[in-house]
Amino acid sequence: MLAGEAARKAGEQIARELYYPPEAIERGLEGEALVLLFLDESGNAIAARIEASSGHALLDAAAVRAARTLRAMPASTPREAVLPVRFRLR
């Protein structure tokens, strides 16, 4: 799992990029997907895949799309890390 500065920076970027699919909102879907994230030497996401499903394919796909947008993560960030992506209706 990402921790510390890497977790904070990833959380900020995901908050800006995360798209909550309208169909998921209409159906009242919530959940948390664990995304396995692969970063290059510069801390940019080069790949991502679901490590543990939210239980909803719509949310899992949105989580992977958002994770793939991560850029310029701190140098201390591992090249492979698990990122939790939460979907909560308010």
Side-chain angles (χ1 to χ4, degrees):
M1 285 283 189
L2 285 180
E5 178 67 13
R8 187 189 62 72
K9 185 157 185 173
E12 289 172 358
Q13 289 186 41
I14 290 290
R16 284 194 304 271
E17 297 296 331
L18 190 59
Y19 172 75
Y20 209 132
E23 182 183 343
I25 294 169
E26 290 168 15
R27 293 171 49 196
L29 303 181
E30 294 184 324
E32 177 178 272
L34 296 181
V35 178
L36 181 57
L37 182 64
F38 300 90
L39 302 172
D40 66 14
E41 316 74 48
S42 301
N44 300 319
I46 52 174
R49 68 173 170 80
I50 292 295
E51 183 77 0
S53 175
S54 66
H56 307 289
L58 279 170
L59 299 183
D60 292 349
V64 168
R65 268 194 310 275
R68 288 180 177 154
T69 68
L70 292 178
R71 297 286 176 262
M73 295 298 292
S76 61
T77 308
R79 296 293 165 242
E80 289 183 24
V82 175
L83 172 68
V85 180
R86 291 175 190 88
F87 293 87
R88 297 281 181 263
L89 296 170
R90 294 176 192 224

